[in-house]
Amino acid sequence: MAEVVVLGAGLGGVLQAYELKAKLGKGDRLTVVSKGSTFHFVPSNPWVAVDWRTRDSIEVDLRPIFARLGIGLITTPAERVVASENAIVLENGERVPYDFLVVATGPDLAFDEIQGLGPAGFTQSICHVDHAVGAAEAFRKFAEKPGPIIIGAAQGASCFGPAYEFAFILDTELRRRRIRDRVPMTFVTAEPYIGHLGLDGVGDTKGLLEGEMRGAHIKWMTSSRIRAVTDGQMAVEHVDDSGTVAGSDDLPFAYSMILPAFRGVKALAGNEGLTNPRGFVIVDKFQRNPTHPNIFAVGVCVAIPPVGKSPVPVGVPKTGFMIESMVTAVAENIGLLLRGQEARYQATWNAVCLADFGDRGVAFIAQPQIPPRNINWAKEGKWVHFAKIGFEKYFIGKIRRGESEPFYERLTLDLLGIRKLKEIHPAA
Ligand SMILES: Cc1cc2nc3c(=O)[nH]c(=O)nc-3n(C[C@H](O)[C@H](O)[C@H](O)COP(=O)(O)OP(=O)(O)OC[C@H]3O[C@@H](n4cnc5c(N)ncnc54)[C@H](O)[C@@H]3O)c2cc1C
């Protein structure tokens, strides 16, 4: 009998629990350690931040579902992982031993690396539903007294799609309210060019997104580094190709949402060989930590090197499709190890994403992530907006139903109609 523990109940952790449950033997036990009992669908946070969704509509109470599926749920967060003792110590001091651990803790949001950044400072965030609810409240106040908006992604960020999404969603919402003419908008990003996305572009995301921004009258600043934020003012430095500061701006704002850099969560620290200097979990091609081979990792917490050098550091995004492929590989590998066999499943780490702009959007597929690619495709259109709503409904429904079938692959195939994608997923 084996104790299998998943740490984190976000997008990666919940999918992992569902897929793992189907692979375990009769006597094996599966437990998820989570911060609370609720799952929320992170990709819908931008919609919560403009009141297009309520928080309730994107949250799922995991307790009845896990009880039905026979998955244990511990709702006290982990204080630390003690890899040398194969145990997690919870914040209440209790210990949770494991034979296999899957880390799915997502990002720690590094707001503190820039003075004044984040919900505790002067900018909004959409990374967590709590933040999105706060951002919605701030937006309601802003709409009564409109002024300049700054949207963007800070130095070291690895998640850019949602920043573009949110800029265009705000543009759509402001047009609907007939106040767009009173709102100068600026997009401030660490990316070396618009549409880089941490992936050195996908298809013509540069041309597509620049065109969209020109069309929406959103000005942009690339290779930019935020020095500090004060109430209504953002100090930004512009870095040239040699890495030297070539200029600076003090930008006024009445509303701002900036995605921060990510790092690994504190609970993983202090374990030799488990994480890289930024706190992300080091994994081999089977999603397994080389130093602690009974620890696997999926999702944003996984260490992935950047695609190349840029004047201001940017990281690689980890999107749902990629995360699901990690989840499937881990479920298969732990299943094999429990039956005395060797791990052999590998995740694809490809990027597939739908970026919603409120009434249209851009979809892209990067396979592999690092160029040159076999599939390097991006398209825009109204259909992306409706496809994204389809994704949301389907995904939240899947979490509620407790389905173990991989989801992104099937839906991507259905929605994009590109059967060729099957070639790029190992489970296909
Ligand atoms: C605003 C936004 C929009 C996005 N939109 C898309 C999109 O449209 N499409 C797409 O493919 N990808 C999107 N992504 C990227 C990615 O799919 C999401 O970030 C996704 O939520 C990552 O899943 P995860 O499981 O790695 O992390 P998370 O979903 O963040 O889950 C991590 C979980 O671990 C828990 N945890 C952390 N520390 C502990 C601890 N010590 N003890 C217990 N639990 C802990 C957290 O509470 C959380 O529940 C988006 C990301 C963001 C930020």
Side-chain angles (χ1 to χ4, degrees):
M1 179 190 137
E3 293 284 354
V4 183
V5 174
V6 176
L7 179 56
L11 195 139
V14 175
L15 291 182
Q16 188 66 76
Y18 292 175
E19 287 203 32
L20 258 174
K21 185 66 188 167
K23 302 289 169 199
L24 299 187
K26 261 205 163 145
D28 302 326
R29 200 158 56 180
L30 177 61
T31 306
V32 175
V33 176
S34 168
K35 279 188 186 172
S37 56
T38 310
F39 165 88
H40 85 273
F41 188 54
V42 172
S44 295
N45 286 345
W47 290 338
V48 172
V50 287
D51 287 324
W52 293 357
R53 293 287 183 281
T54 59
R55 119 174 253 153
D56 289 356
S57 66
I58 67 155
E59 283 186 334
V60 179
D61 181 359
L62 296 172
R63 286 170 300 187
I65 306 159
F66 278 28
R68 174 166 55 79
L69 296 174
I71 300 170
L73 179 63
I74 294 172
T75 56
T76 308
E79 188 186 78
R80 60 183 197 278
V81 171
V82 190
S84 58
E85 296 172 16
N86 295 324
I88 295 172
V89 178
L90 304 179
E91 281 183 1
N92 61 9
E94 280 175 29
R95 289 170 75 87
V96 180
Y98 60 81
D99 296 302
F100 291 99
L101 172 65
V102 186
V103 180
T105 42
D108 184 35
L109 307 170
F111 295 117
D112 56 309
E113 291 178 349
I114 299 171
Q115 193 192 332
L117 193 78
F122 304 101
T123 60
Q124 305 299 324
S125 160
I126 49 170
C127 292
H128 192 279
V129 68
D130 292 346
H131 299 164
V133 168
E137 206 178 301
F139 182 68
R140 266 176 249 132
K141 281 193 195 135
F142 163 86
E144 286 166 15
K145 200 173 163 222
I149 282 184
I150 305 175
I151 304 298
Q155 52 268 34
S158 51
C159 187
F160 298 95
Y164 288 99
E165 280 194 310
F166 196 53
F168 288 113
I169 286 170
L170 283 177
D171 170 68
T172 303
E173 178 61 19
L174 292 167
R175 279 188 284 110
R176 283 182 190 159
R177 291 178 184 234
R178 315 291 292 174
I179 53 172
R180 179 67 181 88
D181 59 324
R182 290 156 65 190
V183 182
M185 286 181 77
T186 309
F187 191 82
V188 174
T189 180
E191 296 159 281
Y193 58 85
I194 288 297
H196 179 283
L197 300 167
L199 293 165
D200 201 3
V202 184
D204 188 26
T205 44
K206 181 175 190 294
L208 282 176
L209 289 169
E210 280 187 358
E212 287 286 342
M213 285 187 143
R214 269 191 289 270
H217 296 286
I218 301 173
K219 294 200 170 114
W220 66 79
M221 294 176 173
T222 52
S223 291
S224 294
R225 200 157 60 195
I226 300 169
R227 204 156 31 82
V229 190
T230 51
D231 193 5
Q233 198 83 15
M234 187 176 293
V236 177
E237 292 176 339
H238 311 296
V239 177
D240 68 16
D241 287 351
S242 68
T244 311
V245 176
S248 63
D249 275 298
D250 276 320
L251 304 174
F253 67 87
Y255 184 94
S256 176
M257 194 296 296
I258 301 289
L259 295 176
F262 291 171
R263 61 190 169 209
V265 304
K266 288 189 184 67
L268 306 175
N271 293 291
E272 187 65 38
L274 182 63
T275 55
N276 71 7
R278 199 66 196 158
F280 293 109
V281 182
I282 300 163
V283 295
D284 63 13
K285 59 187 179 181
F286 305 119
Q287 298 298 129
R288 185 166 55 171
N289 180 255
T291 311
H292 308 282
N294 60 340
I295 301 184
F296 292 75
V298 298
V300 173
C301 65
V302 170
I304 300 184
V307 293
K309 270 195 165 175
S310 52
V312 178
V314 298
V316 172
K318 294 144 201 172
T319 53
F321 187 89
M322 181 197 289
I323 295 171
E324 187 186 71
S325 84
M326 295 179 185
V327 162
T328 302
V330 169
E332 295 287 0
N333 286 334
I334 292 181
L336 287 173
L337 291 165
L338 287 171
R339 293 192 296 278
Q341 297 171 38
E342 291 297 314
R344 63 183 156 82
Y345 284 85
Q346 297 181 28
T348 53
W349 287 19
N350 299 315
V352 177
C353 204
L354 299 177
D356 173 57
F357 295 171
D359 54 3
R360 65 202 189 287
V362 171
F364 60 82
I365 303 171
Q367 185 259 323
Q369 272 199 115
I370 299 170
R373 304 188 175 109
N374 295 318
I375 300 178
N376 188 41
W377 179 92
K379 280 271 180 306
E380 62 179 330
K382 278 188 186 301
W383 66 273
V384 179
H385 174 64
F386 295 108
K388 185 111 190 188
I389 294 173
F391 257 66
E392 179 201 46
K393 299 280 168 262
Y394 192 96
F395 193 95
I396 295 174
K398 173 192 159 78
I399 296 289
R400 291 202 168 111
R401 292 188 296 275
E403 275 173 21
S404 61
E405 276 293 298
F407 143 85
Y408 271 97
E409 181 218 0
R410 203 171 68 205
L411 209 63
T412 305
L413 293 177
D414 289 350
L415 289 173
L416 302 186
I418 301 173
R419 306 307 298 181
K420 200 169 176 222
L421 263 178
K422 270 202 161 296
E423 291 168 18
I424 66 177
H425 199 284

